[in-house]
């Protein structure tokens, strides 16, 4: 009947990036009046994840909570989040009783992309429409979609370059996520299987919008990338859910940087942060410090490295890492913070005029929403593809020659980019008027998209309406 409220199960995967899109979508659906059951695979890997899930349930008491109790599994020695993907994927058999136990009966399931290939047989056996949350850009979704045929063509060897049909983009082998070159790598195996399973899904939610990726979205939805793909539903830029717990965590140390930001001229500050998972090699950190000094720009720098986590005082750390006298030379021009700021708040601050970032997709979307130019310094994963998207649409720039030594996770590796070079390029980028114009245009489109009647807003509404609500 036309009056029943649809009921959707949302199943997130491991790691904050994967969790974020599910949590935000669950909150959005609930605020549109959709009934939501959030199914958490437990135990989770990190404290940040358990805090976020607890926050979701306390802020949205109408969202129901179920646990998927994971089966024990002897996984290979890989990244703990990748390992957790595998553990959850192998617990798919526990899903059926959960999905059938809820009342009213489910109208659809929304599952994280990393789990799709083992979960879709279960949801489809129950005749449940199955939607996917995809955590990166549309260009990465296109890569996922073509990957099964790319792997077939490459045999057991590394991948040379990937042409994305219908978009006219060729991704050099060195730009795609490094583990994809090794067909035996667990990530590559999962990526391949999930890429194949995409064709069985009923739709894919993605945190992007037209000013960033209109062409790629159109090509995906026209069947020009891979025929038979389900609808790709752009819902970005997703607004962060401001939970109490998250606010409390970010409040530590806020007074100092917030007061400093308030005192800076409009658009003058370069914000520097490389996400949760990318630790700068120690020597590169020092060169970046020199570069920021030489750039002459004002800067707010979130220093995130393994070393920082063990230190109590950012001042001690600076002396150690950046050399004697660094703070004195930089003076009031620079603010260095340890570990965590409320990035949304920083990017929304009128003093901020640029963002030096690893180009993690959440950071890209958050900067685009605020009209802040993003200068990409991608390390690994999907970050080069994201940096390409940023450059193409005018959301920022990418200095392609800037690499990272080794994995981007080691601390003792030698720098690949000198402070001199960093300073020079940052000064140019901060002064680029055409970039400021294009990011202002992108911001307008972002606000239109998520506002009432906008494309992203309406996409969520028509998804709910399509479920019979
Ligand atoms: Br650092 C930092 N405060 O100080 P990405 C990050 N964030 O709120 P990821 C803060 O973390 P990979 C800080 O707003 C964004 O939502 C930021 O997500 C927030 O990178 C998130 O940019 C970072 O997608 O690494 O997930 O850390 O690219 O490897 O997935």
């Amino acid at each position: 009947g036309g009056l029943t409220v649809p009921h959707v199960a949302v199943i997130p995967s491991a790691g904050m990036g994967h969790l974020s899109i599910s949590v935000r979508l669950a909150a959005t659906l609930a605020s549109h009046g959709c009934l939501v059951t959030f199914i958490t695979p437990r135990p989770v890997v990190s404290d940040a994840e358990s805090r976020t899930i607890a926050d979701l349930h306390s802020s949205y008491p109408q969202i129901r909570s179920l646990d998927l109790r994971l089966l024990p599994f002897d996984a290979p020695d890989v990244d703990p989040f990748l390992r957790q993907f595998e553990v959850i994927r192998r617990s798919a058999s526990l899903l059926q009783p959960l999905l059938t136990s809820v009342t009213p009966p489910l109208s659809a399931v929304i599952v994280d992309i990393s789990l799709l290939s083992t979960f879709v047989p279960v949801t489809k056996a129950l005749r449940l429409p199955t939607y996917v949350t995809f955590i990166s850009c549309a260009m990465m979704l296109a890569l996922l979609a073509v990957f099964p045929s790319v792997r077939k063509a490459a045999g057991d060897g590394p991948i040379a370059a990937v042409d994305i049909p219908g978009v006219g983009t060729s991704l050099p082998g060195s730009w795609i996520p490094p583990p994809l070159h090794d067909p035996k790598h667990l990530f590559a195996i999962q990526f391949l299987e999930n890429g194949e399973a995409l064709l069985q899904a009923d739709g894919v939610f993605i945190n992007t919008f037209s000013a960033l990726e209109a062409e790629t979205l159109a090509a995906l939805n026209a069947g020009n990338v891979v025929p038979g793909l389900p609808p790709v539903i752009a819902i970005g830029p997703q607004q962060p859910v401001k939970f109490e717990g998250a606010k409390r965590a970010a409040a530590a140390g806020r007074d100092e940087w917030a007061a400093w930001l308030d005192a800076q001229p409009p658009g003058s500050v370069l914000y520097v942060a490389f996400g949760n998972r990318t630790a700068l090699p120690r020597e590169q950190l020092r060169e970046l410090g020199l570069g920021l000094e030489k750039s002459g720009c004002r800067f707010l720098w979130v220093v995130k490295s393994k070393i920082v986590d063990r230190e109590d005082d950012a001042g001690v750390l600076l002396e150690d890492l950046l050399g004697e006298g660094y703070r004195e030379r930089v003076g009031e021009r620079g603010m260095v913070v340890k570990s965590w700021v409320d990035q949304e708040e920083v990017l929304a601050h009128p003093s901020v005029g640029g963002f030096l970032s690893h180009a993690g997709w959440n950071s890209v979307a958050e900067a685009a929403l605020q009209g802040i130019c993003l200068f990409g310094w991608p390390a690994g994963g999907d970050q080069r593809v994201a940096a390409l998207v940023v450059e193409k649409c005018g959301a920022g720039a990418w200095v392609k020659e800037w690499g990272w030594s080794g994995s981007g996770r080691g601390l003792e590796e030698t720098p690949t980019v000198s402070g001199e070079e960093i300073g020079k390029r940052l000064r140019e980028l901060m002064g680029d008027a055409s970039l400021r114009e294009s990011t202002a245009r992108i911001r307008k489109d972002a606000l239109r998209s998520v506002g009432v009647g906008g494309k992203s807003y309406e996409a969520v509404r028509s998804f709910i309406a399509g479920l019979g609500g």
Side-chain angles (χ1 to χ4, degrees):
L3 290 176
T4 46
V5 175
H7 183 188
V8 176
V10 177
I11 311 173
S13 188
M16 285 302 293
H18 288 266
L19 185 60
S20 281
I21 185 168
S22 294
V23 161
R24 289 171 178 181
L25 183 56
T28 305
L29 292 171
S31 58
H32 281 288
C34 182
L35 208 52
V36 177
T37 295
F38 199 80
I39 302 182
T40 302
R42 286 195 197 272
V44 299
V45 177
S46 68
D47 290 347
E49 293 166 80
S50 42
R51 233 184 332 195
T52 303
I53 294 161
D55 273 346
L56 174 71
H57 289 300
S58 61
S59 308
Y60 290 81
Q62 73 272 41
I63 294 180
R64 301 174 187 186
S65 158
L66 276 183
D67 289 348
L68 179 71
R69 286 270 152 214
L70 296 171
L71 298 169
F73 166 61
D74 258 340
D77 181 27
V78 288
D79 170 283
F81 294 102
L82 180 57
R83 180 185 186 282
Q84 181 82 345
F85 294 171
E86 196 57 24
V87 175
I88 307 173
R89 289 166 58 77
R90 286 173 187 249
S91 300
S93 62
L94 304 179
L95 200 60
Q96 194 260 354
L98 279 185
L99 296 179
T100 49
S101 71
V102 295
T103 49
L106 290 170
S107 332
V109 175
I110 304 176
V111 60
D112 185 272
I113 184 61
S114 64
L115 313 175
L116 183 64
S117 68
T118 67
F119 280 28
V120 76
V122 179
T123 55
K124 286 290 158 172
L126 297 172
R127 299 182 184 283
L128 284 169
T130 307
Y131 290 77
V132 174
T133 45
F134 186 76
I135 67 159
S136 187
C137 50
M139 190 70 85
M140 267 304 291
L141 179 60
L143 174 63
L144 176 72
V146 301
F147 194 70
S149 59
V150 168
R151 178 39 73 206
K152 201 178 268 171
D156 286 341
I159 290 151
V162 180
D163 292 319
I164 306 292
V167 184
T169 297
S170 177
L171 303 171
S174 59
W175 292 8
I176 71 174
L180 292 183
H181 290 290
D182 173 7
K184 295 202 177 64
H185 195 291
L186 184 57
F187 180 76
I189 294 167
Q190 293 173 354
F191 198 83
L192 181 70
E193 292 179 359
N194 292 325
E196 285 166 348
L198 263 186
L199 295 171
Q200 296 175 59
D202 294 281
V204 183
F205 289 103
I206 180 167
N207 183 17
T208 192
F209 60 103
S210 57
L212 294 189
E213 301 197 273
E215 237 191 305
T216 311
L217 285 168
L220 283 163
N221 280 323
N224 293 341
V225 176
V226 167
L229 275 190
V232 177
I233 309 165
I235 54 169
Q238 275 189 312
Q239 250 113 340
V241 189
K242 287 287 177 208
F243 297 130
E244 280 311 312
K247 266 193 269 178
R248 270 196 306 279
R254 181 187 172 278
D255 289 354
E256 203 188 352
W257 60 258
W260 180 85
L261 264 187
D262 287 345
Q264 310 308 313
S268 68
V269 173
L270 176 70
Y271 166 59
V272 183
F274 298 99
N276 304 296
R277 304 199 302 174
T278 309
L280 269 155
R282 189 183 177 120
E283 294 303 318
Q284 188 62 77
L285 196 76
R286 179 185 280 254
E287 291 301 318
L288 174 57
L290 287 177
L292 290 170
E293 185 185 348
K294 285 176 193 288
S295 73
C297 303
R298 295 161 200 274
F299 61 88
L300 170 61
W301 181 12
V302 180
V303 178
K304 185 81 166 64
S305 79
K306 285 181 188 146
I307 295 160
V308 173
D309 290 341
R310 279 190 246 117
E311 291 283 352
D312 274 8
D313 182 341
V316 174
L317 171 89
L318 278 182
E319 294 299 295
D320 270 8
L321 283 185
L322 306 174
E324 294 264 324
Y326 182 80
R327 278 198 128 175
E328 289 69 28
R329 289 200 307 278
V330 166
E332 278 296 296
R333 201 158 58 68
M335 168 64 62
V336 182
V337 246
K338 270 198 324 173
S339 69
W340 199 253
V341 298
D342 181 346
Q343 179 164 304
E344 308 287 336
E345 184 185 353
V346 170
L347 290 171
H349 197 287
S351 299
V352 174
F355 181 10
L356 178 61
S357 165
H358 69 314
W361 188 250
N362 289 311
S363 292
V364 171
E366 289 162 13
L369 175 63
Q370 299 300 337
I372 300 296
C373 310
L374 184 138
F375 312 132
W377 189 352
D382 60 349
Q383 296 159 14
R384 286 190 177 85
V385 175
L388 168 79
V389 171
V390 164
E391 187 190 45
K392 254 179 92 157
C393 71
W398 172 23
V399 187
K400 294 190 190 55
E401 307 79 57
W402 288 11
W404 290 66
S405 47
S407 59
R409 298 194 199 282
L411 297 173
E412 308 303 336
E413 297 155 13
T414 50
T416 50
V417 194
S418 71
E420 200 76 49
E421 160 76 3
I422 294 171
K424 185 174 141 263
R425 295 308 278 265
L426 288 179
R427 194 166 49 246
E428 282 167 18
L429 289 168
M430 279 297 277
D432 189 325
S434 70
L435 268 183
R436 297 220 178 192
E437 267 167 44
S438 56
T439 52
R441 177 179 50 72
I442 288 169
R443 172 157 206 260
K444 270 193 199 146
D445 185 72
L447 292 173
R448 249 199 316 270
S449 297
V450 294
V452 177
K455 280 188 203 162
S456 297
Y457 181 93
E458 290 303 324
V460 172
R461 291 206 69 96
S462 56
F463 164 70
I464 296 172
L467 298 177

